[in-house]
Amino acid sequence: MERHNLTHVSEFYLMGFSEDPDLQPILFGLILSMYLVTVLGNFLIILAVTSDSHLHTPMYFFLSNLSLADICFTSSTVPKLIVDILTHRRDISYVGCLTQMSLFILFACMDDLLLTVMAYDRFVAIWHPLHYTVIMNPQRCVLLLLLLVFLSLLDSQAHNLIALQITCFKDVEIASFFCDPSQLLGLSCSDTLIKSIVTYMLVILFGFFPMSGIIFSYYKIVSVLLKIPSSGGRYKAFSTCGSHLSGVCLFYGTSIGTYFGSSASYTLSKGIVASLMYTVITPMLNPFIYSLRNRDILSTLKRLSFWNL
């Protein structure tokens, strides 16, 4: 395979879903529709939470920020994909690729850490209901959010610095429809040992530990629920966790399936479809998960729609 010195690499080429010209209008309409549903659905959750004083609680504070992170997360990749389908182009500049990768990691990490904090919020609400308002006070919630933003920026810039250290590329074609960090770093033809060690450390720090925190929180929550004598009481207590648990399973299920699937059965088309699930469909489904099973948000949205009419 021909090697390209960095001084001659000014752009990369992204993979498309299909080269069939007859499929391009269908792909364009489908992906554009999903993107608009994602933005609209998450925007409605933000609007509902900010407009109703009854929803100014820690749980909905983090939920609205999760919706904002989902909008930014999908916007870091999908608009470029839509433009590529429309213009039949697959190129992206070197700077644009690194920028897209940084934004993708930033908001993916925000999603990850927000889900962890939301699990902690549910843990406090069920384990320490009498001290909930003291523990999860507004100042602490804002500090937690600022900490999440800082950690996400740290993860994003760490990956960016690793990419900037690459001085030689095996190829300029990225096997994804966006600048996927794993695909971009895999193009390096230099010694990748240090890069691999740093990358695995970041995965452990921002993947394993948040997931462990969520599992521990739900272990404690379930241990409390099992002590509740009535099934109705258990259901009422767990109903506040159901939407969040569904969102966690969707987020981690698609991400693990994308990045840790069997390499033996991996194909380019399967990888692109898995990436689409992770970057488009998961953020699109989150508003439905958190709103359809939440009477407070549904009632607020109905009241807003009636007021607009």
Side-chain angles (χ1 to χ4, degrees), residues 13 98 128 144 159 192 201 227 240 247 273 279 284 302 309:
Y13 294 92
L98 292 186
H128 307 285
L144 281 173
H159 276 87
T192 59
M201 288 178 62
K227 297 177 182 178
T240 61
V273 171
T279 58
M284 181 183 70
K302 288 179 182 177
L309 292 174

Side-chain angles (χ1 to χ4, degrees), residues 148-168:
L148 299 189
V149 173
F150 172 75
L151 291 175
S152 300
L153 282 170
L154 184 65
D155 186 20
S156 173
Q157 293 311 303
H159 276 87
N160 205 22
L161 288 174
I162 294 173
L164 287 171
Q165 299 304 311
I166 300 176
T167 57
C168 179

Side-chain angles (χ1 to χ4, degrees), residues 50-234:
T50 55
S51 62
D52 191 343
S53 59
H54 295 93
L55 300 181
H56 293 176
T57 63
M59 179 176 71
Y60 292 112
F61 171 75
F62 292 119
L63 176 58
S64 62
N65 281 282
L66 179 67
S67 295
L68 179 60
D70 276 340
I71 292 175
C72 296
F73 175 59
T74 194
S75 296
S76 67
T77 58
V78 178
K80 168 64 177 170
L81 172 61
I82 293 172
V83 172
D84 286 348
I85 294 174
L86 189 62
T87 60
H88 306 288
R89 297 186 62 180
R90 297 286 182 264
D91 57 295
I92 184 171
S93 67
Y94 175 78
V95 174
C97 187
L98 292 186
T99 302
Q100 187 183 62
M101 183 191 71
S102 299
L103 292 175
F104 172 81
I105 295 174
L106 171 64
F107 296 114
C109 189
M110 279 290 296
D111 266 6
D112 182 25
L113 296 177
L114 278 168
L115 288 172
T116 306
V117 171
M118 291 170 72
Y120 173 72
D121 172 75
R122 293 299 83 206
F123 160 72
V124 174
I126 293 177
W127 260 75
H128 307 285
L130 299 179
H131 301 92
Y132 176 72
T133 55
V134 176
I135 297 174
M136 300 300 293
N137 60 72
Q139 293 79 12
R140 183 165 296 175
C141 291
V142 172
L143 286 175
L144 281 173
L145 179 62
L146 293 176
L147 178 62
L148 299 189
V149 173
F150 172 75
L151 291 175
S152 300
L153 282 170
L154 184 65
D155 186 20
S156 173
Q157 293 311 303
H159 276 87
N160 205 22
L161 288 174
I162 294 173
L164 287 171
Q165 299 304 311
I166 300 176
T167 57
C168 179
F169 291 95
K170 299 175 184 177
D171 199 359
V172 293
E173 197 167 51
I174 298 175
S176 182
F177 62 86
F178 69 100
C179 287
D180 190 309
S182 62
Q183 297 291 340
L184 178 61
L185 298 178
L187 293 179
S188 174
C189 57
S190 58
D191 183 17
T192 59
L193 178 59
I194 302 299
K195 301 182 185 68
S196 299
I197 292 174
V198 175
T199 301
Y200 284 126
M201 288 178 62
L202 292 172
V203 169
I204 292 173
L205 183 61
F206 295 101
F208 175 75
F209 284 124
M211 187 185 296
S212 300
I214 293 173
I215 294 174
F216 177 77
S217 296
Y218 274 100
Y219 166 74
K220 289 293 188 180
I221 289 171
V222 170
S223 66
V224 171
L225 296 180
L226 292 177
K227 297 177 182 178
I228 299 176
S230 66
S231 58
R234 287 195 296 270

Side-chain angles (χ1 to χ4, degrees), residues 13-48:
Y13 294 92
L14 305 172
M15 289 290 183
F17 287 94
S18 173
E19 298 298 330
D20 187 351
D22 295 332
L23 287 178
Q24 300 307 307
I26 299 175
L27 289 172
F28 174 77
L30 180 63
I31 295 174
L32 178 61
S33 300
M34 291 191 294
Y35 177 66
L36 292 177
V37 170
T38 301
V39 173
L40 178 61
N42 283 287
F43 175 75
L44 287 176
I45 287 184
I46 296 172
L47 181 63

